[in-house]
Amino acid sequence: MRRVFSHPNSMIVGSMASLLNYAGIETEIRNDILGGAAGEIAPGETWVELWVVKEARAEQAAQLIKEILEQPEGDDWICQHCQESNPATFDVCWQCGQPS
Ligand SMILES: [Zn+2]
């Protein structure tokens, strides 16, 4: 197991996990306040972590994440569901999870 990404917004971490899963990389999300263990964690204080299950895939995952984060800004898209603005690299709304 290796941690490859973390972010305070679990939707963004979830979106990143989907992209890695799509590339065939098995991931696990930790510290997700929506996913239990909420009693001990104050919302907003804990970053959600994305872990790659297989060490051998960690380098590939890190590279993919780097590419995603460094992609030149495309046009943001507006969610049809909640009207939130989303970066072009996200294929689901970071706020409500609605696909673009
Ligand atoms: Zn939305």
Side-chain angles (χ1 to χ4, degrees):
M1 296 283 288
R2 180 148 3 138
R3 195 183 69 181
V4 291
F5 182 68
S6 64
H7 197 280
N9 188 322
S10 65
M11 282 293 188
I12 289 174
V13 178
S15 186
M16 201 64 87
S18 308
L19 289 165
L20 293 185
N21 291 342
Y22 187 72
I25 299 170
E26 200 181 342
T27 58
E28 190 176 303
I29 291 172
R30 293 187 182 176
N31 290 347
D32 190 343
I33 54 165
L34 304 173
E40 298 176 12
I41 301 167
E45 288 183 4
T46 304
W47 283 43
V48 184
E49 299 178 343
L50 181 62
W51 291 68
V52 169
V53 174
K54 294 191 174 69
E55 282 282 331
R57 307 302 299 275
E59 285 301 322
Q60 188 193 354
Q63 186 62 35
L64 267 171
I65 289 168
K66 192 160 168 279
E67 284 171 12
I68 292 162
L69 295 177
E70 286 179 352
Q71 263 177 29
E73 287 284 310
D75 288 337
D76 289 1
W77 54 275
I78 304 297
C79 177
Q80 302 283 331
H81 184 249
C82 70
Q83 315 307 317
E84 187 61 51
S85 173
N86 285 276
T89 47
F90 288 6
D91 55 5
V92 298
C93 175
W94 67 266
Q95 176 152 281
C96 71
Q98 190 83 1
S100 61

